Amino acid sequence: MIEVQNLTKTYGGARGIDDISFNVEKGEIIGFLGPNGAGKTTTMRILTCFMPATSGSASIAGFDVFEDSLNVRKRLGYLPETVPLYTDMQVPVYLRYVAGLKGIPWRQINSRVGEVMEKVGLTHMAHKFIAELSKGYRQRVGLAQALINDPQVLVLDEPTVGLDPKQIIEIRSLIKGLQEERTIILSSHILPEVSMVCQRVIIIDEGRIKAMDTPENLMAQIHSTCRVRTRISGPKDSVLEGLRAIDGITKADSVDNTSNSTNGFDVEFIDGFDGSHLIARLAAEKRWDLHELTLAKMSLEDIFIKIVTDEQVKAEDGK
Amino acid sequence: MRNFFFILTKEFRSYFNSPIAFVTITIFSVLTGYYFYNIFAGFGTLSFQAQTYPMIASRYGALNVTEFVIRPFIGTISMVMLIMLPMLTMRSFSEEKKSGTIELLLTYPVRDGEVVLGKFAGCMVIFCTMLMISFPCVLLIEYFGEPEWGVIITGYLGLLLMGSAFISLGVFMSSLSENQIVAAVLTFACLLIFSLVNYSVGFVGESMAKVLEYLSFNYHMRNFVKGVIDTSDIIYYLLFTVFFLFSSMRSLESKRWRA
């Protein structure tokens, strides 16, 4: 559905994005992940025909974004990061205007606007001017204008930024609900969001793709060492000694938590081995109370930091 | 065509949703009305004096309402236009650039030409409203005197053409900058230059003088207020309009290929 090949964009001398290539299949939700200024917005702007690339090519539904931009734009819904809207218009008036520009037939404009407003939960805001709406509702109007022509491809630039947690959850479920038959690209620097919504994640930093895989695979890739957090009420030193004596444990450290009568410990096992049961057995044998035993899963956040910092370490080694 | 219509109605609506249209139309009618009052009252006094003192009458020849009221009135309107129209056009693209809405507009399946024409037509509609509001003044002359309707019609036609030239220049300037003040100042400066360029006609060579004269707005207005429709005047204003509309289109397009 979306093909991007060797896309490069330079601003004056500065590099925006550098040699980015990826493909997105029909019906896929793909997430762009990266710190601020990584090149997410630049990539999206090129895909939505707002900005030309310096070199490389991109096509949507078989149409080149540069050569055939009108055909691309017909199939597109775009929500820019800043959600620029005409604040002096009322919500339905604005949506009718967008529907008109996006080529909805005259007779269907009103019904289509109604449908979309219901879908994004704007119906009770119909009489308001956009200037009067809160950030969350503006985001919905932005989403509504992107959806109004029922586009095959949706490009959402940081759709949940600046929203409160409740709104974030609503928008997320809304995006998930849009998936049928649609290809969605969304960018974010909020990592759990991407792992929740997207089927594939592209991690991009300093204009380059650092990693591209499903969230599960990315986690599995890094998840080879197993870490356990445990809390045991017993004399700190002897617990530590006992833990260190267990076969397969490479590292055991105590964690300070002065508020509790129990002591916390971080334990790491050798690669590919989960020995939580051994800790439980130890506690039972010594008659210590075991309060907590949790497998510390590496979050996307950790993966992200690991990938980005690994690159830096490599780069420094190279020098 | 469809997209043109949608952009036109949106533009029209935005002018009236904000105070812009109300303020400019009001100020325009107040100014033209004030000038009209003075011109008309001056003509009235002059007629009275001519009745009492034949010497005055012989100096002016036949006192003619067309020549003494309509012609200066149309000149006045064109002067007020020079000040008011840049205020109207300055927002057309600058505002969209500043607020970022241009990003969405340019990612809709709309041709650049349709956007430019829509914005231009939006301004034209407001401008026509202004002209219409000044029209009762002319009707007042018809009530009290016997103006030549031919001159009135060609005068207003000239104003319409002149206005379209002003607006196309303003739209172009607005497409260059995201700052509305800059757009307005540039428009105003260019309009002034084009209006006053014939002032230097006396100091340059003959062929240069012809060129300068032909470039001037006022020179081409001259025939219209006499009641003469010269194709070269119409072509001048139309060319001016088309040239700057085309330039605005290019300026908008350049966003797509300028890396």
Side-chain angles (χ1 to χ4, degrees):
Chain A
M1 200 68 189
I2 302 173
E3 284 172 28
V4 175
Q5 266 172 8
N6 310 104
L7 211 60
T8 301
K9 169 82 187 173
T10 53
Y11 296 100
R15 181 158 29 78
I17 54 172
D18 189 15
D19 201 23
I20 282 186
S21 306
F22 62 90
N23 285 329
V24 186
E25 298 300 322
K26 195 173 176 182
E28 215 177 355
I29 303 189
I30 201 162
F32 267 129
L33 202 60
N36 294 327
K40 293 169 290 182
T41 303
T42 305
T43 315
M44 291 187 154
R45 282 186 167 169
I46 293 170
L47 282 178
T48 53
C49 317
F50 179 63
M51 210 188 237
T54 310
S55 66
S57 68
S59 68
I60 289 180
F63 299 103
D64 189 275
V65 294
F66 188 66
E67 300 294 335
D68 224 344
S69 96
L70 214 57
N71 271 321
V72 171
R73 285 184 270 156
K74 270 182 201 155
R75 289 164 175 77
L76 204 70
Y78 177 38
L79 174 67
E81 187 184 350
T82 51
V83 199
L85 303 167
Y86 298 106
T87 49
D88 57 357
M89 290 170 103
Q90 279 157 311
V91 178
V93 176
Y94 171 68
L95 291 177
R96 277 201 290 274
Y97 161 70
V98 177
L101 288 188
K102 286 194 168 188
I104 311 288
W106 291 101
R107 284 151 191 266
Q108 291 169 28
I109 287 179
N110 277 329
S111 62
R112 185 74 199 133
V113 166
E115 268 169 45
V116 169
M117 280 177 65
E118 203 180 312
K119 196 170 206 171
V120 301
L122 271 173
T123 318
H124 57 294
M125 291 289 165
H127 57 283
K128 290 217 171 176
F129 282 94
I130 293 174
E132 299 170 326
L133 297 181
S134 67
K135 174 86 176 111
Y137 277 107
R138 284 186 198 203
Q139 203 81 22
R140 286 163 198 245
V141 178
L143 212 53
Q145 65 80 27
L147 286 172
I148 201 135
N149 57 336
D150 202 7
Q152 296 170 14
V153 177
L154 260 183
V155 179
L156 310 172
D157 198 354
E158 310 224 348
T160 58
V161 78
L163 301 182
D164 67 41
K166 188 167 158 278
Q167 291 169 330
I168 289 180
I169 292 168
E170 283 172 359
I171 295 273
R172 254 184 225 157
S173 60
L174 193 64
I175 292 170
K176 275 205 129 167
L178 295 174
Q179 194 194 354
E180 353 107 20
E181 292 294 297
R182 241 184 286 265
T183 311
I184 303 178
I185 297 188
L186 67 88
S187 78
S188 178
H189 57 249
I190 307 163
L191 307 150
E193 176 171 293
V194 170
S195 61
M196 243 179 260
V197 180
C198 303
Q199 289 145 6
R200 212 143 57 93
V201 180
I202 295 178
I203 294 181
I204 134 171
D205 185 39
E206 289 175 346
R208 285 168 178 277
I209 292 184
K210 302 288 182 189
M212 175 161 47
D213 215 329
T214 61
E216 295 78 27
N217 282 354
L218 278 175
M219 292 208 195
Q221 206 178 314
I222 314 256
H223 201 219
S224 48
T225 53
C226 177
R227 247 195 295 164
V228 170
R229 156 72 55 94
T230 176
R231 275 195 304 132
I232 297 172
S233 63
K236 200 178 189 175
D237 294 329
S238 45
V239 176
L240 258 183
E241 211 172 292
L243 283 172
R244 283 181 181 144
I246 296 175
D247 241 8
I249 289 186
T250 53
K251 206 171 130 195
D253 287 315
S254 77
V255 187
D256 290 330
N257 48 347
T258 43
S259 60
N260 252 316
S261 59
T262 57
N263 294 310
F265 302 93
D266 266 346
V267 180
E268 267 181 36
F269 294 95
I270 52 172
D271 283 1
F273 172 66
D274 179 2
S276 314
H277 59 285
L278 297 176
I279 299 175
R281 195 178 294 163
L282 172 78
E285 275 170 8
K286 304 268 182 166
R287 301 242 156 219
W288 294 325
D289 290 333
L290 180 63
H291 291 264
E292 186 189 340
L293 189 61
T294 34
L295 197 60
K297 262 200 166 179
M298 246 184 163
S299 65
L300 255 185
E301 207 126 357
D302 300 319
I303 297 168
F304 176 71
I305 289 167
K306 198 169 160 94
I307 286 172
V308 172
T309 47
D310 273 3
E311 289 284 335
Q312 277 168 359
V313 171
K314 269 182 212 160
E316 274 157 26
D317 286 350
K319 281 171 197 167
Chain B
M1 198 53 210
R2 224 181 90 101
N3 293 336
F4 163 76
F5 171 79
F6 279 107
I7 292 174
L8 165 63
T9 39
K10 188 245 141 203
E11 283 299 300
F12 184 73
R13 211 189 284 270
S14 323
Y15 276 119
F16 281 101
N17 277 344
S18 65
I20 302 174
F22 295 107
V23 171
T24 47
I25 291 176
T26 310
I27 302 287
F28 182 86
S29 44
V30 166
L31 285 179
T32 51
Y34 175 72
Y35 281 117
F36 174 75
Y37 168 76
N38 284 302
I39 295 166
F40 206 25
F43 179 69
T45 327
L46 195 66
S47 323
F48 267 123
Q49 288 172 339
Q51 259 179 348
T52 1
Y53 309 105
M55 234 178 59
I56 293 180
S58 66
R59 196 199 301 169
Y60 287 101
L63 283 180
N64 175 335
V65 77
T66 310
E67 191 157 331
F68 281 84
V69 180
I70 303 273
R71 220 174 269 177
F73 181 54
I74 283 173
T76 307
I77 293 182
S78 75
M79 200 187 76
V80 179
M81 267 162 55
L82 189 78
I83 300 161
M84 301 310 291
L85 290 187
M87 308 293 150
L88 209 58
T89 56
M90 67 179 190
R91 58 172 286 280
S92 51
F93 283 108
S94 305
E95 195 180 40
E96 299 233 19
K97 282 186 174 182
K98 193 114 197 168
S99 66
T101 45
I102 193 117
E103 183 167 352
L104 274 179
L105 184 60
L106 293 184
T107 54
Y108 293 150
V110 186
R111 288 191 175 81
D112 296 337
E114 293 168 329
V115 176
V116 171
L117 274 182
K119 299 238 168 215
F120 170 76
C123 280
M124 279 304 277
V125 173
I126 306 285
F127 169 60
C128 291
T129 320
M130 285 179 175
L131 279 189
M132 263 173 355
I133 285 176
S134 78
F135 204 68
C137 299
V138 178
L139 293 181
L140 213 61
I141 306 176
E142 168 69 20
Y143 183 75
F144 287 112
E146 283 172 359
E148 288 172 50
W149 276 94
V151 176
I152 294 173
I153 288 164
T154 55
Y156 270 88
L157 177 69
L159 287 178
L160 199 67
L161 286 168
M162 201 179 194
S164 79
F166 284 14
I167 289 171
S168 70
L169 181 77
V171 168
F172 171 66
M173 290 303 176
S174 177
S175 76
L176 295 182
S177 168
E178 64 172 43
N179 189 317
Q180 297 195 28
I181 311 278
V182 171
V185 169
L186 283 177
T187 313
F188 186 62
C190 282
L191 291 181
L192 261 187
I193 287 171
F194 272 106
S195 298
L196 304 180
V197 74
N198 59 340
Y199 277 27
S200 50
V201 160
F203 322 116
V204 292
E206 199 178 325
S207 51
M208 192 61 194
K210 273 211 154 137
V211 172
L212 289 184
E213 211 168 41
Y214 189 82
L215 282 178
S216 150
F217 277 135
N218 292 338
Y219 174 76
H220 291 279
M221 205 53 202
R222 223 168 277 173
N223 281 331
F224 282 116
V225 294
K226 277 186 206 149
V228 178
I229 299 178
D230 187 336
T231 14
S232 86
D233 300 331
I234 294 181
I235 286 174
Y236 167 80
Y237 285 125
L238 286 184
L239 263 184
F240 197 96
T241 309
V242 169
F243 175 77
F244 280 107
L245 287 182
F246 182 74
S247 307
S248 331
M249 212 175 92
R250 284 281 135 155
S251 140
L252 211 59
E253 234 171 60
S254 74
K255 243 189 146 28
R256 289 197 214 286
W257 49 258
R258 221 167 44 193

